[in-house]
Amino acid sequence: MGWAIALHGGAGDIPRSLPLERREPRKAALRHCLQIGVDALNSHRSPLDVVELVVRELENNPHFNAGVGSVLTSNGTVEMEACIMDGNTKRCGAVSGLSTVKNAISLARLVMEKTPHIYLGFDGAEAFAREQGIETVDSSHFITPENIERLKQAKEANRVQIDYTQPIKKVGDKIPVPDGDSQIGTVGCVAVDGLGNLATATSTGGLVNKMVGRIGDTPIIGAGTYANNLCAVSATGRGEAIIRGTVARDVAALMEYKGLSLNDAATYVVEGAPSGTTGLIAVSAKGEVTMPFNTTGMFRACASEDGYTEVGIWPGELRE
Ligand code: ASP
């Protein structure tokens, strides 16, 4: 039994026509972040430290829908959310409605470690961030021209968007979002060390054109994020479906109550979820890793101590 790690950069309807210049930077970022996680595990950092470290790196990358790449609400504002959980102790922390915190995942960890609570949102979470002295920036830092354009296109199509489908094109658009890139993905990381200690972390800007105040699956323990002493899970996709399906907890419950393997449990849950809504990454205490999805694609990467590495977007991509 050795360590294992997996990360995702969002699941959705990602067309295979996604241009090379849009897919390669994300795959490169996944490879880079995977390496950071692998190095940290090899240096015997705790899985909790590793998932926070990797998710911070993904939050700082504008190619993903978290941190600086966060998508916008229907009011053109940013409301980021994140969750972190330690498997053995089931300690966890979650945050929602952040508009100035540079790394939401680190605030979630502070909620876990420095408060008697699990979940802080909106003004209270922002006030806690200031009290803790965590890095904050003006909310304009998160509002990128690409995400203004994504919001515009979602409004024109009158939809709350998660998929990567063809955006509506308008003549004269100054900052066109390239074809097949109308949305970008939530991020997550799960890790287990050689002793079977497990942790998970997920961070997101939510859905393009979401209502102000909407909370998705990411910060909901047992929906988008869950870990216990058997497995660690981070989900991505249509948040409302993932909450209804208690996706992350169901994987753990099938292992716990039915004795299913990690892969069987995760596959069962994802296949049972409404088609096109759900993807997840998971690792087990035994060092297994699985990354099923029922969407067209999921930006994902994994590695294990025995030398296995995979980085992919669509089904059936081979190991590196
Ligand atoms: N699950 C996220 C949400 O609904 C979106 C995503 O995974 O891309 O907020």
Side-chain angles (χ1 to χ4, degrees), residues 189-210:
C189 180
V190 291
V192 59
D193 65 14
L195 301 172
N197 296 304
L198 291 146
T200 176
T202 318
S203 182
T204 189
L207 302 181
V208 182
N209 200 23
K210 66 181 181 180

Side-chain angles (χ1 to χ4, degrees), residues 162 186 204 206-207 214 216-218 236-239:
I162 191 215
T186 289
T204 189
L207 302 181
R214 179 261 189 189
D217 59 302
T218 296
T236 170
R238 174 66 67 174

Side-chain angles (χ1 to χ4, degrees), residues 11-14 162 236-237 270 275-279 293-298 315:
D13 185 11
I14 311 167
I162 191 215
T236 170
V270 169
S275 173
T277 62
T278 305
F293 50 95
N294 71 11
T295 50
T296 317
M298 177 168 78

Side-chain angles (χ1 to χ4, degrees), residues 125-149:
E126 285 281 340
F128 177 64
R130 274 161 189 74
E131 188 191 302
Q132 290 296 314
I134 197 169
E135 187 175 358
T136 55
V137 288
D138 190 85
S139 58
S140 60
H141 166 81
F142 299 104
I143 302 179
T144 63
E146 289 79 9
N147 280 326
I148 292 172
E149 183 60 25

Side-chain angles (χ1 to χ4, degrees), residues 15 31 41 58 77 93 116 125 137 148 162 187 207 223 241 255 257 295 307 311:
R31 265 186 214 106
L41 283 163
L58 289 161
T77 53
V137 288
I148 292 172
I162 191 215
V187 304
L207 302 181
M255 293 178 73
Y257 300 135
T295 50
V311 178

